[in-house]
Short mmCIF file of all heavy atoms in Angstrom, two decimals:
data_model
loop_
_atom_site.label_atom_id
_atom_site.label_comp_id
_atom_site.label_asym_id
_atom_site.label_seq_id
_atom_site.Cartn_x
_atom_site.Cartn_y
_atom_site.Cartn_z
N HIS A 1 -17.93 26.17 24.91
CA HIS A 1 -18.14 25.34 26.08
C HIS A 1 -19.64 25.11 26.25
O HIS A 1 -20.43 26.06 26.15
CB HIS A 1 -17.56 26.03 27.32
CG HIS A 1 -17.90 25.33 28.60
ND1 HIS A 1 -17.28 24.16 28.98
CD2 HIS A 1 -18.80 25.63 29.55
CE1 HIS A 1 -17.79 23.77 30.14
NE2 HIS A 1 -18.71 24.64 30.51
N VAL A 2 -20.05 23.89 26.51
CA VAL A 2 -21.46 23.57 26.75
C VAL A 2 -21.72 23.70 28.24
O VAL A 2 -21.25 22.90 29.03
CB VAL A 2 -21.81 22.15 26.26
CG1 VAL A 2 -23.30 21.89 26.44
CG2 VAL A 2 -21.42 21.94 24.81
N SER A 3 -22.46 24.74 28.63
CA SER A 3 -22.78 24.96 30.05
C SER A 3 -23.90 24.04 30.51
O SER A 3 -23.90 23.55 31.63
CB SER A 3 -23.22 26.41 30.28
OG SER A 3 -22.26 27.31 29.81
N SER A 4 -24.88 23.84 29.63
CA SER A 4 -26.00 22.95 29.94
C SER A 4 -26.63 22.48 28.65
O SER A 4 -26.49 23.12 27.60
CB SER A 4 -27.04 23.65 30.82
OG SER A 4 -27.72 24.64 30.10
N CYS A 5 -27.32 21.36 28.74
CA CYS A 5 -28.07 20.83 27.60
C CYS A 5 -29.26 20.08 28.19
O CYS A 5 -29.10 19.30 29.13
CB CYS A 5 -27.21 19.91 26.74
SG CYS A 5 -28.01 19.42 25.20
N ARG A 6 -30.43 20.36 27.67
CA ARG A 6 -31.63 19.75 28.22
C ARG A 6 -32.64 19.44 27.11
O ARG A 6 -32.63 20.08 26.07
CB ARG A 6 -32.25 20.67 29.26
CG ARG A 6 -32.69 22.00 28.70
CD ARG A 6 -32.70 23.11 29.75
NE ARG A 6 -32.84 24.41 29.13
CZ ARG A 6 -31.85 25.10 28.57
NH1 ARG A 6 -30.64 24.62 28.52
NH2 ARG A 6 -32.07 26.28 28.04
N ARG A 7 -33.50 18.45 27.41
CA ARG A 7 -34.60 18.16 26.50
C ARG A 7 -35.69 19.20 26.71
O ARG A 7 -35.94 19.62 27.83
CB ARG A 7 -35.14 16.76 26.76
CG ARG A 7 -34.15 15.67 26.42
CD ARG A 7 -34.72 14.29 26.57
NE ARG A 7 -35.34 14.12 27.87
CZ ARG A 7 -36.23 13.18 28.14
NH1 ARG A 7 -36.58 12.31 27.24
NH2 ARG A 7 -36.76 13.08 29.34
N VAL A 8 -36.33 19.61 25.63
CA VAL A 8 -37.41 20.59 25.71
C VAL A 8 -38.65 20.04 25.01
O VAL A 8 -38.56 19.09 24.23
CB VAL A 8 -37.00 21.95 25.10
CG1 VAL A 8 -35.87 22.59 25.91
CG2 VAL A 8 -36.59 21.82 23.65
N LEU A 9 -39.77 20.64 25.30
CA LEU A 9 -41.07 20.25 24.73
C LEU A 9 -41.43 18.82 25.10
O LEU A 9 -42.01 18.07 24.32
CB LEU A 9 -41.07 20.42 23.20
CG LEU A 9 -40.67 21.80 22.70
CD1 LEU A 9 -40.50 21.80 21.18
CD2 LEU A 9 -41.67 22.85 23.14
N VAL A 10 -41.09 18.42 26.35
CA VAL A 10 -41.36 17.06 26.81
C VAL A 10 -42.73 16.92 27.47
O VAL A 10 -43.17 15.80 27.71
CB VAL A 10 -40.26 16.56 27.78
CG1 VAL A 10 -38.93 16.48 27.08
CG2 VAL A 10 -40.17 17.42 29.02
N ARG A 11 -43.39 18.03 27.73
CA ARG A 11 -44.72 17.98 28.34
C ARG A 11 -45.72 18.69 27.42
O ARG A 11 -45.39 19.64 26.74
CB ARG A 11 -44.69 18.68 29.69
CG ARG A 11 -43.75 18.03 30.69
CD ARG A 11 -44.00 18.53 32.08
NE ARG A 11 -43.05 18.23 33.11
CZ ARG A 11 -42.33 17.15 33.30
NH1 ARG A 11 -42.41 16.19 32.45
NH2 ARG A 11 -41.51 17.00 34.30
N PRO A 12 -46.95 18.24 27.46
CA PRO A 12 -47.97 18.90 26.63
C PRO A 12 -48.35 20.26 27.19
O PRO A 12 -48.22 20.51 28.39
CB PRO A 12 -49.15 17.93 26.69
CG PRO A 12 -49.00 17.26 28.01
CD PRO A 12 -47.52 17.13 28.23
N VAL A 13 -48.82 21.12 26.32
CA VAL A 13 -49.39 22.40 26.71
C VAL A 13 -50.88 22.34 26.35
O VAL A 13 -51.22 22.09 25.19
CB VAL A 13 -48.70 23.57 25.97
CG1 VAL A 13 -49.40 24.89 26.29
CG2 VAL A 13 -47.23 23.64 26.34
N ASN A 14 -51.71 22.48 27.35
CA ASN A 14 -53.16 22.34 27.15
C ASN A 14 -53.51 21.02 26.48
O ASN A 14 -54.36 20.95 25.59
CB ASN A 14 -53.73 23.52 26.35
CG ASN A 14 -53.57 24.84 27.07
OD1 ASN A 14 -53.69 24.90 28.30
ND2 ASN A 14 -53.28 25.88 26.33
N GLY A 15 -52.79 19.95 26.87
CA GLY A 15 -53.05 18.61 26.36
C GLY A 15 -52.47 18.32 24.99
O GLY A 15 -52.69 17.25 24.44
N VAL A 16 -51.71 19.25 24.42
CA VAL A 16 -51.17 19.08 23.07
C VAL A 16 -49.64 19.02 23.12
O VAL A 16 -48.99 19.90 23.67
CB VAL A 16 -51.61 20.25 22.14
CG1 VAL A 16 -51.00 20.10 20.76
CG2 VAL A 16 -53.12 20.32 22.07
N TYR A 17 -49.08 17.95 22.53
CA TYR A 17 -47.62 17.83 22.40
C TYR A 17 -47.18 18.57 21.14
O TYR A 17 -47.87 18.55 20.12
CB TYR A 17 -47.21 16.35 22.29
CG TYR A 17 -47.16 15.66 23.63
CD1 TYR A 17 -48.31 15.13 24.20
CD2 TYR A 17 -45.96 15.54 24.32
CE1 TYR A 17 -48.27 14.51 25.44
CE2 TYR A 17 -45.91 14.92 25.55
CZ TYR A 17 -47.07 14.40 26.11
OH TYR A 17 -47.01 13.79 27.32
N ALA A 18 -46.01 19.20 21.21
CA ALA A 18 -45.51 19.98 20.09
C ALA A 18 -45.12 19.11 18.90
O ALA A 18 -45.22 19.53 17.75
CB ALA A 18 -44.30 20.81 20.52
N SER A 19 -44.66 17.89 19.17
CA SER A 19 -44.14 17.04 18.10
C SER A 19 -44.12 15.60 18.59
O SER A 19 -44.33 15.33 19.77
CB SER A 19 -42.71 17.50 17.75
OG SER A 19 -42.13 16.63 16.80
N ASP A 20 -43.82 14.68 17.69
CA ASP A 20 -43.67 13.29 18.10
C ASP A 20 -42.27 13.02 18.65
O ASP A 20 -41.96 11.89 19.02
CB ASP A 20 -44.00 12.33 16.95
CG ASP A 20 -43.05 12.44 15.78
OD1 ASP A 20 -42.26 13.41 15.73
OD2 ASP A 20 -43.09 11.57 14.90
N HIS A 21 -41.45 14.04 18.69
CA HIS A 21 -40.15 13.90 19.36
C HIS A 21 -39.85 15.18 20.12
O HIS A 21 -40.43 16.23 19.85
CB HIS A 21 -39.02 13.54 18.38
CG HIS A 21 -38.82 14.50 17.27
ND1 HIS A 21 -37.83 15.46 17.27
CD2 HIS A 21 -39.50 14.67 16.11
CE1 HIS A 21 -37.89 16.16 16.15
NE2 HIS A 21 -38.90 15.71 15.44
N TYR A 22 -39.00 15.05 21.12
CA TYR A 22 -38.63 16.19 21.95
C TYR A 22 -37.46 16.92 21.32
O TYR A 22 -36.74 16.36 20.51
CB TYR A 22 -38.26 15.72 23.35
CG TYR A 22 -39.25 14.76 23.96
CD1 TYR A 22 -38.85 13.56 24.53
CD2 TYR A 22 -40.62 15.05 23.98
CE1 TYR A 22 -39.76 12.68 25.10
CE2 TYR A 22 -41.54 14.17 24.54
CZ TYR A 22 -41.10 12.99 25.09
OH TYR A 22 -42.01 12.13 25.65
N GLY A 23 -37.29 18.15 21.68
CA GLY A 23 -36.16 18.92 21.18
C GLY A 23 -35.05 19.01 22.20
O GLY A 23 -35.17 18.50 23.32
N LEU A 24 -33.97 19.65 21.81
CA LEU A 24 -32.85 19.91 22.71
C LEU A 24 -32.57 21.40 22.71
O LEU A 24 -32.73 22.08 21.69
CB LEU A 24 -31.59 19.18 22.25
CG LEU A 24 -31.55 17.68 22.37
CD1 LEU A 24 -30.26 17.14 21.78
CD2 LEU A 24 -31.67 17.26 23.82
#
């Protein structure tokens, strides 16, 4: 059962994005 699903890494940390796409 999927209780929740969310996008992650959508905001930069110290001005740096983790990737050119967000994760789940």
